[in-house]
Amino acid sequence: MHNNGKEKLVVEVVGAHNLMPKDGEGSSSAFVEVEFDNQRLRTQVKYQELNPVWEEKLIFHVNDVADLPYRTIEANVFNERRSNKTRNFLGKVRVSCSNVAREGEEQPQLHTLEKRSLFSHVRGELTLKLYLSTKEEVKQVVNGGGGGGGVVSKKNKKMQQQGGSLALPKQMGGQDSGKMGLWNPVEPGPGDLKPVVITALPGPVIPAGGGGGAVGLHHFRGGGVANEYALKETSPHLGGVSRDKTSSTYDLVEQMQYLYVRVVKARDLPVFGGSEVAAEVKLGNYRGITKRVSVGNAEWDQVFAFSKDCIQSSAVEVFLKESNKDDFLGRIWFDLNEVPKRVPPDSALAPQWYRMEDRKGERAKAGEVMVSIWFGTQADEAFAEAWHSKAANVHLDGLSSIKSMVYLSPKLWYLRVGVIEAQDVLLGEKGSSMNMVRYPELFAKVEVGNQVLRTRIASPGASRSLSNPYWNEELMFVVAEPFEDYLVVSIEDHLGGANRGEVVARFVVPVGSIERRMDDKVVVSRWFNLDTHQSNKGVARFASRIHLRASLEGGYHVLDEATLYSSDVRPTAKQLWKPHIGVLEVGILGASNLIPMKIKQGKGRSTDAYCVAKYGQKWIRTRTVVDSLAPKWNEQYTWEVFDPCTVISIGLFDNSRVDTNMNTNIRDTRIGKVRIRLSTLEADRVYTHAYPLVMLLPSGVKKMGDLHLAVRFSCTNTFNVLNMYAMPLLPKMHYVQPLSVAQLDTLRYQATNVVASRLNRAEPPLGREVVEYMLDHDSQMWSMRKSKANFLRLTNVLAWLVAMWKLVEMVRSWHKPVYSAMFVAALIVLVLLPELIIPCILLTMAATGLWRYRGRPRHPPHMDTRLSYAESVYPDELDEELDTFPTSRSPEVVRMRYDRLRSVAGRIQTVVGDLATQGERFQALLSWRDPRATFLFVIVCLVAAFGFYLVPIRWVVAAGGVYWLRPPKFRSRMPSCAESFFKRLPSNADSML
């Protein structure tokens, strides 16, 4: 279809940011030239402006709307020199027209300017809006120079630069683009709902000339689904880029200036003993108050930090006040112009005594206060413990929950308990009172903390007494240092009809006293005396004992994370650790365009955001930025790296514990999560990107904002890093004595509970909901969306096989005789010279790898909504995924979902059955299940063996290949004899019910 003249492509050039100065005076006079389908338009020139704003619409003809997604738009930014009418290149962007939206649904798209050649020097971003319109008209005349936009063909480029005017080409026809939706590629079953259209969810947009995002950038939400959830490269002003010699050593974050005031203590105050005093630091409208202390021991040693962008006064004041009184006892003040600057690693500024003045301005009797004051950055040692001006509205009880903090996961061990046998076990009171013909049903129950496992019931045998049960089972638990739990082994008799067994004997031992082992050496088993059941008279009935083999396994790595996203693969025992191979540095810069998460009284909708990052045993938590949808943290953290094939997880949460009026048991709300695999990062390169924060909500997939990070992976020795790729991923014990998949799932669940319990006991606590989200606690839950996504992933993996088969079929069809003849010739050459086959394959793979180096990914991976099958998920499937376990839905909904699951499982069952049938037909060749078929196959094998002995194998392969690749006119449309014979073979499907 062609355009009917109504649809026009509108490229609205909104603005640019942080352009490269090219006029020799520290600025640029920029304009944008946009090219689409041999049409070229340009904007006006914005003179002497590095952050120009145009907001101009450039309108292009569209010849074929259906072909639009396969077109691209190129926008070049130039600097115009008024002196000689030349221009300098400032950067370019190429945008796929698949991101073009409909009129009224357009969104600004932020693009990083790219180089034109290797020697180009560019920087900055360009913001565009792309949409189709039926209202706009193309201008008929174009003015050159600094005029407005117009259509210019390539051959008339010189005329446009000279300021001439051009006539426009004739308008072309087109069609309405229609409403675009996302269709489920998997056909719905009987219980599936009908497909629905998923549109982009609205979000806050920062205008072109408005305030910056979390890292000082003009950040925009992309238009269309593809750009909405895309990774965006940013250009923050990091400390390491600055040439200022006084800059902080924090080189992966932006510098944040603070005024620090340390109030240490006071003396000679004009009040009586028994009173309480407090210090108050005031800067403009911000006030920080110390804790109350007695006059006789007036020491606080508290630090107050005022952000430089909040300073609204030229002086800072320090008051000393008696409790419950408005008047101050003494006062000092400092002129901010005289405050010194301090940058680590300089030593801390020594506090000094200052004599205060009273309400009358006299200094004789007001006393003295010890204070130090300086300007610093977030790299200052006092930053973490300081009271911050932006948290002035937070209640004192909530201050501890907003500080930045570093946590360490407890050191986890696997505890292996082998319950072998017991001797001289007598029944308890209930068991002995029953009929003595009854056989005792004895089993062992092992408890470690909240973890409880049990053996099977010992079956009576002829060679063993009923009082000497034998199990020989191994049970696995997860324990953490310091070992506070006890190992409790009890022998119980399962009574018929009872929910619990009767304890007949018990053994207790501290976990810390159990033997530790680092390898697969056999642990010596031991006999332990049991505390037997006591009679009513309190006298022991008999002495019993149990045979155990217990050990703390230090050679395993205790998996507390999902195996695919593991951040650490070291064994538990530190003696088995190898030296680290590199360092991971992460600068958590800020976030932008966050969604309001809660409603506060008198403040409206707001978000109190903080970040949590987990790598290895080290967890970090940034400070909470209160009441901000574009928080800035600018905190930098470092981890040692022991294996490059690991993943760091960074999550964003809304702090629900800031307001003490809220329920103390409330859970912090998830905002989103980012995963970065270290092996995808180039060494010593700083990655600065805005990662989309995507969440699955009951209403569908939604972008919650963007998280701005700066990441660098530094290697101490490249050879050591490359050597890691030839080593096993997990420690040796995982291969020498492997654990089953069911064991690993159970132990991971236990490990997650142990880590969550320990971190929840820290101060301030790291909530269980945070730990479980970071460790992907619910990753094993059933999800129809994940099942379809994994099916599509498998399809994409196998797509290259399909492509190769199609290529061979194309050659075999002889549609291109030249290519088919060349393929047959190459086949004959390789058959006659078989020593060339493997070298040719390897050289082809090496050449393909070298060729694809040009198109290698330049950005780290991020959450892909299309890959996750989140853009077109059905509402009911999403509700099923977010349902609790066990389910909380009505029986009707559960029945419908069960029927849908049966439908999907039925299709899977059919595919598995077909695969089994083909395998069973191969087995039937020699099974004589079909005697005639087996007889024919045996005869053919005898004849073929004699033939292959006489004829060289290379001639057989060459002849067979040429016969198979013969032109279609020499083939029959009927199936071959071999194919017909194979399909007639029997399978076990005949015996299925």
Side-chain angles (χ1 to χ4, degrees):
M1 291 186 175
H2 296 284
N3 202 347
N4 58 9
K6 295 182 180 180
E7 295 282 343
K8 302 295 186 299
L9 173 63
V10 180
V11 179
E12 183 175 350
V13 183
V14 181
H17 173 69
N18 195 26
L19 297 178
M20 179 75 73
K22 287 292 182 72
D23 61 356
E25 301 177 0
S27 186
S28 291
S29 300
F31 68 94
V32 181
E33 189 175 85
V34 182
E35 181 178 351
F36 168 73
D37 198 14
N38 293 328
Q39 306 170 61
R40 184 176 288 122
L41 303 176
R42 57 171 289 176
T43 66
Q44 296 181 354
V45 179
K46 296 297 181 180
Y47 295 101
Q48 302 292 317
E49 180 61 56
L50 292 179
N51 298 288
V53 177
W54 290 283
E55 295 186 347
E56 288 188 38
K57 296 180 180 179
L58 308 180
I59 303 139
F60 296 89
H61 288 289
V62 180
N63 294 330
D64 189 352
V65 176
D67 193 48
L68 188 62
Y70 307 100
R71 301 286 183 176
T72 58
I73 299 171
E74 182 171 332
N76 293 273
V77 186
F78 297 98
N79 166 60
E80 182 179 82
R81 291 183 177 271
R82 285 183 288 182
S83 58
N84 52 9
K85 297 298 181 181
T86 61
R87 57 186 184 178
N88 305 106
F89 180 72
L90 295 179
K92 71 173 184 178
V93 297
R94 290 178 63 88
V95 185
S96 172
C97 291
S98 60
N99 294 332
V100 175
R102 297 186 62 194
E103 189 173 14
E105 299 178 357
E106 66 273 12
Q107 295 279 351
Q109 304 178 23
L110 180 67
H111 305 277
T112 302
L113 294 176
E114 302 176 353
K115 295 182 178 181
R116 181 169 54 186
S117 65
L118 181 63
F119 303 100
S120 300
H121 296 282
V122 302
R123 76 178 187 194
E125 297 82 26
L126 179 66
T127 304
L128 304 173
K129 287 184 180 180
L130 309 177
Y131 60 96
L132 290 172
S133 174
T134 58
K135 302 178 182 178
E136 302 290 347
E137 295 293 336
V138 179
K139 298 180 181 179
Q140 298 297 319
V141 178
V142 180
N143 295 324
V151 176
V152 183
S153 63
K154 287 186 175 179
K155 65 181 181 180
N156 293 325
K157 176 180 179 182
K158 184 175 181 181
M159 292 182 60
Q160 184 209 33
Q161 294 177 353
Q162 295 174 352
S165 60
L166 299 173
L168 294 176
K170 187 177 180 180
Q171 297 180 355
M172 307 286 294
Q175 66 171 356
D176 194 321
S177 62
K179 188 171 184 179
M180 299 181 64
L182 300 172
W183 183 260
N184 188 342
V186 180
E187 294 183 3
D192 289 347
L193 300 180
K194 294 183 179 180
V196 296
V197 175
I198 307 294
T199 57
L201 296 169
V205 177
I206 302 177
V215 290
L217 298 175
H218 295 286
H219 182 79
F220 297 94
R221 303 285 294 274
V225 174
N227 195 61
E228 175 76 8
Y229 304 107
L231 185 71
K232 303 179 182 67
E233 190 169 3
T234 59
S235 300
H237 303 289
L238 303 182
V241 180
S242 176
R243 297 181 180 178
D244 185 6
K245 297 300 182 181
T246 62
S247 64
S248 167
T249 56
Y250 281 28
D251 60 342
L252 291 184
V253 293
E254 292 183 335
Q255 297 299 316
M256 300 177 67
Q257 299 294 327
Y258 288 90
L259 172 65
Y260 290 97
V261 181
R262 180 186 293 274
V263 182
V264 183
K265 56 185 175 180
R267 66 184 181 186
D268 301 333
L269 299 179
V271 291
F272 297 102
S275 300
E276 291 184 336
V277 292
E280 177 184 309
V281 181
K282 182 180 180 183
L283 178 63
N285 295 327
Y286 293 94
R287 295 190 308 165
I289 303 175
T290 67
K291 57 187 177 182
R292 296 177 181 178
V293 297
S294 62
V295 177
N297 186 24
E299 293 187 11
W300 302 280
D301 197 18
Q302 288 186 235
V303 181
F304 300 86
F306 299 88
S307 178
K308 193 172 183 179
D309 56 5
C310 296
I311 296 178
Q312 302 172 349
S313 176
S314 60
V316 59
E317 299 174 285
V318 180
F319 299 92
L320 254 68
K321 295 183 178 181
E322 191 174 0
S323 58
N324 301 325
K325 291 186 179 180
D326 295 333
D327 294 336
F328 60 86
L329 300 174
R331 165 185 175 271
I332 60 172
W333 65 277
F334 300 91
D335 188 350
L336 297 186
N337 295 322
E338 303 297 330
V339 173
K341 293 184 178 180
R342 184 232 168 194
V343 178
D346 293 348
S347 299
L349 195 65
Q352 301 180 29
W353 285 105
Y354 294 91
R355 183 165 293 279
M356 297 182 293
E357 61 183 25
D358 57 14
R359 293 185 297 274
K360 299 179 180 179
E362 299 179 356
R363 297 179 179 268
K365 301 179 180 180
E368 293 179 311
V369 63
M370 180 180 285
V371 175
S372 60
I373 181 171
W374 69 96
F375 278 109
T377 65
Q378 73 270 31
D380 202 293
E381 294 87 348
F383 177 80
E385 297 297 328
W387 172 94
H388 291 271
S389 56
K390 292 191 175 181
N393 295 327
V394 179
H395 193 272
L396 291 176
D397 296 336
L399 287 176
S400 62
S401 68
I402 67 173
K403 293 183 178 180
S404 58
M405 195 64 59
V406 175
Y407 303 87
L408 289 178
S409 291
K411 192 174 182 180
L412 301 178
W413 293 72
Y414 282 146
L415 171 61
R416 187 191 300 269
V417 180
V419 184
I420 303 175
E421 60 181 331
Q423 287 184 352
D424 302 327
V425 178
L426 298 182
L427 296 181
E429 296 291 339
K430 296 180 181 178
S432 60
S433 63
M434 302 178 72
N435 189 351
M436 296 306 297
V437 179
R438 167 187 173 270
Y439 289 109
E441 299 179 355
L442 299 177
F443 64 89
K445 184 172 70 175
V446 184
E447 302 178 49
V448 180
N450 295 326
Q451 307 169 50
V452 180
L453 295 177
R454 51 172 288 177
T455 67
R456 68 182 187 279
I457 297 177
S459 58
S463 61
R464 283 195 167 268
S465 171
L466 298 179
S467 61
N468 299 330
Y470 181 83
W471 301 283
N472 195 24
E473 289 189 35
E474 284 192 345
L475 308 176
M476 297 286 289
F477 302 88
V478 175
V479 293
E481 290 186 4
F483 300 117
E484 302 173 351
D485 297 322
Y486 287 86
L487 173 64
V488 181
V489 182
S490 57
I491 299 178
E492 300 186 9
D493 182 15
H494 183 267
L495 303 178
N499 295 328
R500 296 181 180 179
E502 180 189 9
V503 178
V504 296
R506 177 173 294 176
F507 167 72
V508 180
V509 63
V511 172
S513 63
I514 297 176
E515 177 185 353
R516 307 184 187 188
R517 71 167 184 171
M518 313 302 170
D519 49 28
D520 58 337
K521 293 182 180 179
V522 178
V523 177
V524 179
S525 59
R526 297 173 56 190
W527 287 93
F528 299 93
N529 293 326
L530 292 170
D531 295 332
T532 56
H533 176 76
Q534 301 292 322
S535 65
N536 294 333
K537 298 181 179 180
V539 179
R541 300 175 62 183
F542 206 81
S544 303
R545 61 178 186 166
I546 188 170
H547 196 190
L548 299 178
R549 182 187 296 111
S551 62
L552 289 167
E553 302 288 341
Y556 291 93
H557 169 70
V558 181
L559 292 168
D560 58 345
E561 303 166 291
T563 310
L564 296 176
Y565 320 125
S566 181
S567 65
D568 190 7
V569 291
R570 292 172 294 171
T572 299
K574 197 169 184 178
Q575 299 89 324
L576 302 178
W577 291 3
K578 297 180 179 180
H580 70 278
I581 61 171
V583 174
L584 173 64
E585 300 168 276
V586 178
I588 302 177
L589 307 180
S592 60
N593 301 330
L594 295 184
I595 303 297
M597 303 302 296
K598 56 177 174 281
I599 301 177
K600 291 187 176 181
Q601 295 182 356
K603 300 178 183 178
R605 301 180 63 86
S606 65
T607 299
D608 304 323
Y610 68 91
C611 273
V612 173
K614 197 269 182 187
Y615 184 79
Q617 290 184 327
K618 180 179 176 182
W619 298 66
I620 66 96
R621 170 178 176 161
T622 66
R623 70 188 187 281
T624 300
V625 179
V626 182
D627 298 333
S628 176
L629 299 181
K632 296 181 181 180
W633 294 288
N634 285 304
E635 299 182 21
Q636 183 171 339
Y637 298 93
T638 304
W639 288 268
E640 289 184 341
V641 177
F642 294 85
D643 194 303
C645 300
T646 47
V647 177
I648 181 174
S649 299
I650 305 172
L652 192 63
F653 301 88
D654 175 59
N655 194 334
S656 301
R657 297 173 172 86
V658 172
D659 193 347
T660 57
N661 294 329
M662 293 183 179
N663 185 0
T664 56
N665 295 325
I666 199 169
R667 298 161 61 93
D668 291 348
T669 308
R670 308 171 180 177
I671 300 180
K673 182 166 54 178
V674 173
R675 299 191 195 99
I676 303 175
R677 184 171 292 275
L678 272 58
S679 60
T680 62
L681 305 178
E682 298 178 10
D684 299 319
R685 176 186 170 186
V686 178
Y687 291 83
T688 54
H689 291 87
Y691 294 82
L693 298 170
V694 183
M695 287 290 293
L696 279 174
L697 303 177
S699 58
V701 62
K702 187 172 185 180
K703 182 177 180 182
M704 310 296 288
D706 295 281
L707 180 61
H708 297 256
L709 301 174
V711 182
R712 178 171 59 206
F713 173 42
S714 305
C715 302
T716 55
N717 189 318
T718 304
F719 177 78
N720 291 339
V721 177
L722 297 178
N723 184 49
M724 294 297 299
Y725 283 86
M727 302 179 65
L729 181 64
L730 294 174
K732 177 182 177 181
M733 286 293 293
H734 286 269
Y735 307 98
V736 177
Q737 290 187 359
L739 303 175
S740 66
V741 176
Q743 275 184 311
L744 289 175
D745 289 341
T746 303
L747 293 173
R748 180 180 165 236
Y749 177 80
Q750 296 175 2
T752 302
N753 288 336
V754 172
V755 173
S757 177
R758 288 291 179 93
L759 295 182
N760 197 40
R761 290 161 53 186
E763 186 59 39
L766 195 62
R768 173 177 287 270
E769 69 279 6
V770 174
V771 176
E772 291 180 350
Y773 181 58
M774 296 297 294
L775 297 180
D776 293 284
H777 183 63
D778 54 354
S779 61
Q780 302 297 328
M781 298 296 294
W782 157 259
S783 168
M784 182 73 74
R785 175 190 61 83
K786 290 182 181 179
S787 301
K788 293 180 180 179
N790 289 333
F791 174 79
L792 294 179
R793 288 173 57 199
L794 180 60
T795 304
N796 292 334
V797 170
L798 300 178
W800 70 274
L801 292 176
V802 178
M804 293 297 296
W805 178 256
K806 289 182 178 179
L807 179 62
V808 173
E809 284 294 319
M810 184 269 294
V811 173
R812 190 168 177 256
S813 65
W814 289 79
H815 291 314
K816 296 181 179 180
V818 176
Y819 291 159
S820 299
M822 292 176 60
F823 186 82
V824 173
L827 175 65
I828 295 175
V829 171
L830 291 177
V831 170
L832 297 180
L833 300 174
E835 62 272 11
L836 297 179
I837 296 178
I838 295 179
C840 287
I841 294 176
L842 296 178
L843 285 176
T844 302
M845 296 177 67
T848 303
L850 294 175
W851 176 259
R852 291 184 177 181
Y853 178 78
R854 297 178 6 179
R856 67 191 186 278
R858 303 295 297 171
H859 306 299
H862 65 287
M863 300 293 187
D864 193 333
T865 55
R866 183 166 297 176
L867 178 66
S868 305
Y869 204 73
E871 297 176 357
S872 54
V873 60
Y874 296 161
D876 184 71
E877 293 178 1
L878 187 59
D879 181 74
E880 180 183 20
E881 182 175 351
L882 300 178
D883 190 10
T884 59
F885 185 84
T887 181
S888 58
R889 299 298 183 260
S890 63
E892 291 77 12
V893 174
V894 175
R895 182 180 295 108
M896 182 272 294
R897 292 175 180 172
Y898 173 67
D899 291 338
R900 178 177 60 196
L901 184 60
R902 291 176 61 192
S903 173
V904 175
R907 282 177 280 174
I908 298 175
Q909 169 185 291
T910 303
V911 174
V912 174
D914 291 341
L915 294 176
T917 297
Q918 307 308 319
E920 289 167 352
R921 284 174 176 170
F922 275 107
Q923 295 176 349
L925 289 172
L926 296 174
S927 67
W928 291 93
R929 186 172 181 182
D930 185 340
R932 300 170 187 82
T934 303
F935 172 77
L936 290 174
F937 182 73
V938 170
I939 296 299
V940 170
C941 288
L942 291 174
V943 174
F946 184 72
F948 281 118
Y949 175 75
L950 296 177
V951 182
I953 185 62
R954 65 180 63 182
W955 293 109
V956 175
V957 174
V962 172
Y963 176 79
W964 188 68
L965 293 172
R966 67 192 186 280
K969 65 180 179 179
F970 297 111
R971 302 182 205 157
S972 173
R973 295 184 180 182
M974 301 301 292
S976 64
C977 296
E979 183 179 355
S980 300
F981 176 78
F982 183 78
K983 288 184 177 180
R984 290 176 177 273
L985 292 172
S987 69
N988 291 335
D990 305 334
S991 303
M992 295 286 291
L993 290 176

